[in-house]
Amino acid sequence: SYDTPGDANGVYVLGKFAYVADDTSMQIIDVSNPSLPVFISSSTTGGLWGSAQKVFVSGSKAYIALANGGFQIYDVSNPAVPVFLGIYWHAMGVWITSVVVYGSIAFATDMTMGLSVVDVSNPGLPVLKGSYKLTDIYDVTVVGQYAYVADGTGGLKILDISQPFKFELAPL
C-alpha cells in the first residue's frame, strides 16, 4: 500500500504506473513491485479547479476530472516530469465525476448537466462539441462505438457514439 498525501478519489493503472487522482494533485506511483510502491511524481490540480476525482490515461496523456467544472490534460510520456498541456473548463459549480477518451474525443460526466463531448485533438485548446442531457450521471466507459453511462437513479444508459457529436440512445 502507499499513503497518498490527500484523499485518493480515483486510480488508473497503465503498465507499471498507477495514476492517482488525489484531491489536489495527480500522483504517479511505480507499482511494478506491488509490495513496494514507489512515488515518481505529482502535479497540482486543485485550487480554483476543485479536487481531482478520476484519472484516465490514453497514450502519453493523462486526463484528470476535476470536481469544480472541467478536466486537465497532462503529457505523461515522462512520468517523472508530467507537463501541463491544457484544461477544458465547463462551468463553475459543475461536478465533473469522470472523463474517458476515445481517439481524440473526451467524454466527461457531470452529475447535473450530463455527458459532454469534447474534442481534445489540440490538448491546449479542448473544444466542447456537444452533450447528452442526463440528470444523475456518475461514470462512463467506452467500448467500440458505445458509451455505457452510469446514470444514478436512471440506471444504465447505452449511447451510440459512432457519430459522437450526434448522440442517440442505442437500442438495448
Side-chain angles (χ1 to χ4, degrees):
S1 105
Y2 179 85
D3 188 13
T4 60
D7 294 333
N9 295 318
V11 63
Y12 191 92
V13 177
L14 182 63
K16 68 179 193 172
F17 297 106
Y19 301 82
V20 180
D22 190 52
D23 217 6
T24 60
S25 69
M26 173 182 62
Q27 301 283 312
I28 302 177
I29 302 161
D30 182 333
V31 292
S32 56
N33 179 354
S35 61
L36 187 61
V38 176
F39 171 81
I40 299 298
S41 66
S42 69
S43 296
T44 301
T45 61
L48 172 66
W49 311 116
S51 67
Q53 297 300 300
K54 290 198 178 173
V55 178
F56 183 84
V57 181
S58 179
S60 63
K61 293 179 183 68
Y63 301 81
I64 303 142
L66 303 170
N68 208 10
F71 60 85
Q72 290 179 333
I73 306 170
Y74 282 84
D75 179 338
V76 291
S77 55
N78 177 358
V81 186
V83 175
F84 176 78
L85 297 175
I87 186 165
Y88 165 71
W89 178 250
H90 192 73
M92 185 69 89
V94 170
W95 191 280
I96 301 294
T97 54
S98 69
V99 61
V100 179
V101 178
Y102 189 74
S104 63
I105 306 298
F107 298 90
T109 62
D110 177 317
M111 292 176 66
T112 57
M113 299 192 65
L115 185 66
S116 296
V117 182
V118 181
D119 181 343
V120 291
S121 57
N122 176 355
L125 188 61
V127 176
L128 177 67
K129 292 294 189 173
S131 63
Y132 188 83
K133 299 299 180 202
L134 297 167
T135 57
D136 203 17
I137 190 169
Y138 287 89
D139 202 4
V140 62
T141 295
V142 174
V143 179
Q145 73 179 51
Y146 296 100
Y148 299 85
V149 179
D151 190 28
T153 57
L156 173 67
K157 302 285 194 251
I158 302 173
L159 307 174
D160 184 340
I161 58 168
S162 57
Q163 295 182 335
F165 307 129
K166 296 180 182 178
F167 274 132
E168 293 184 20
L169 281 177
L172 295 177

